[in-house]
Amino acid sequence: QVQLVESGGGLVQAGGSLRLSCVVSGRTFSTAVMGWFRQAPGKEREFIAAITWSGGRIRNGDSVQGRFTISRDNAKNTVYLQMNSLKPEDTAVYYCAAGPSLSDRFSDYRYWGQGTQVTVSS
């Protein structure tokens, strides 16, 4: 059974940094790609970035390019999201997800973590 567990969220001041982690257990062919999404209150779930376990190919969303970086550690079955120069508008629940393809659509991801709250104060 595939399980995703996020950690690393919290409260940070604007301009600060956080690193989110997502540990994956039970990896299969259907979890070839790991993605990060976020959802702010009253807004749709937004794609941030995705990465393949094999080869480390990356797809980035448009909204956070240059500030957020996705990476993975295959040996630890962990995917990271390094977030720099955080802004109050980055406040959201951040989710990691697993799927079979390097997609920016949340519907293409089959497995989801429980989410971790990131709050950026001004």
Side-chain angles (χ1 to χ4, degrees):
Q1 183 174 350
V2 177
Q3 288 188 321
L4 285 65
V5 179
E6 302 107 332
S7 62
L11 174 64
V12 64
Q13 288 189 332
S17 298
L18 281 175
R19 188 177 79 158
L20 305 183
S21 301
C22 175
V23 179
V24 183
S25 60
R27 283 172 53 190
T28 70
F29 71 93
S30 63
T31 60
V33 174
M34 297 298 300
W36 284 100
F37 291 77
R38 67 183 180 184
Q39 188 164 21
K43 295 188 177 182
E44 293 185 350
R45 194 162 295 191
E46 179 185 22
F47 172 74
I48 299 172
I51 189 168
T52 62
W53 288 112
S54 177
R57 289 186 298 127
I58 290 174
R59 179 171 186 169
N60 287 310
D62 294 330
S63 61
V64 298
Q65 279 202 19
R67 296 191 298 125
F68 291 10
T69 304
I70 191 171
S71 62
R72 92 279 190 228
D73 185 330
N74 288 36
K76 296 181 179 180
N77 286 330
T78 301
V79 177
Y80 304 98
L81 185 67
Q82 178 67 44
M83 305 187 295
N84 298 326
S85 302
L86 283 162
K87 306 175 182 179
E89 52 264 41
D90 293 319
T91 295
V93 177
Y94 284 69
Y95 298 91
C96 69
S101 62
L102 199 61
S103 171
D104 61 356
R105 300 186 303 178
F106 69 84
S107 58
D108 288 336
Y109 291 81
R110 180 175 179 181
Y111 303 99
W112 291 83
Q114 81 285 358
T116 185
Q117 176 70 46
V118 171
T119 303
V120 184
S121 63
S122 58

